[in-house]
């Protein structure tokens, strides 16, 4: 394992397919803690065990949706899922699992992230209505 923060963050990017802003800052500001937290993530998420990477990405997307994580964080996992060959419909179906347990507000967080990544559009009503917005902030 490298002791060089730049090599480490580059390796994280290769293995994950993304890095978050906090990864970049922690690599420079507190490399030891980044390594420790990344070790846990690697053991649970990146290392091949019983579940394949596609399944783990769907679980991550749903978990982040339920937790109302930032849109960018959810989108990073959606992009990796697409890169792995999951379809936009499969990802949406996973996000929809959040509805019964976490409710519409949590669902909208994941849905909005998905919509932006895949470029999904909708139908406009042919009757006069008030603007409802995207449903998320």
């Amino acid at each position: 394992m490298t002791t060089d923060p730049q090599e480490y963050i580059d390796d994280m990017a290769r293995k994950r397919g993304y890095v978050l802003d906090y990864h970049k800052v922690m690599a420079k500001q507190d490399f030891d803690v980044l390594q420790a937290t990344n070790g846990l993530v690697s053991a649970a998420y990146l290392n091949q065990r019983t579940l394949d990477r596609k399944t783990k990405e769907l679980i991550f997307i749903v978990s982040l949706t339920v937790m109302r994580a930032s849109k960018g964080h959810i989108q990073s996992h959606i992009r990796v899922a697409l890169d792995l060959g999951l379809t936009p419909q499969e990802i949406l179906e996973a996000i929809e699992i959040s509805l019964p347990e976490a409710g519409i507000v949590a669902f909208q967080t994941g849905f909005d992230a998905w919509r932006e990544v895949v470029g999904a559009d909708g139908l406009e009503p042919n009757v006069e209505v008030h603007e409802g917005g995207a449903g998320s902030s």
Side-chain angles (χ1 to χ4, degrees), residues 42-61 77:
S42 291
Y45 163 59
L46 295 172
N47 296 348
Q48 181 56 50
R49 296 172 54 207
T50 306
L51 297 176
D52 64 20
R53 183 75 185 269
K54 288 181 181 181
T55 302
K56 289 179 182 181
E57 285 304 331
L58 291 175
I59 291 169
F60 240 109
I61 291 165
H77 286 278

Side-chain angles (χ1 to χ4, degrees), residues 77-114:
H77 286 278
I78 291 170
R79 288 184 185 100
V80 170
L82 291 167
D83 289 346
L84 292 170
L86 286 159
T87 68
Q89 189 61 37
E90 289 170 320
I91 298 166
L92 176 58
E93 188 173 327
I95 293 168
E96 291 168 345
I97 291 171
S98 69
L99 277 163
E101 299 303 325
I104 192 71
V105 174
F107 164 77
Q108 286 174 328
T109 301
F111 178 81
D112 194 42
W114 171 85

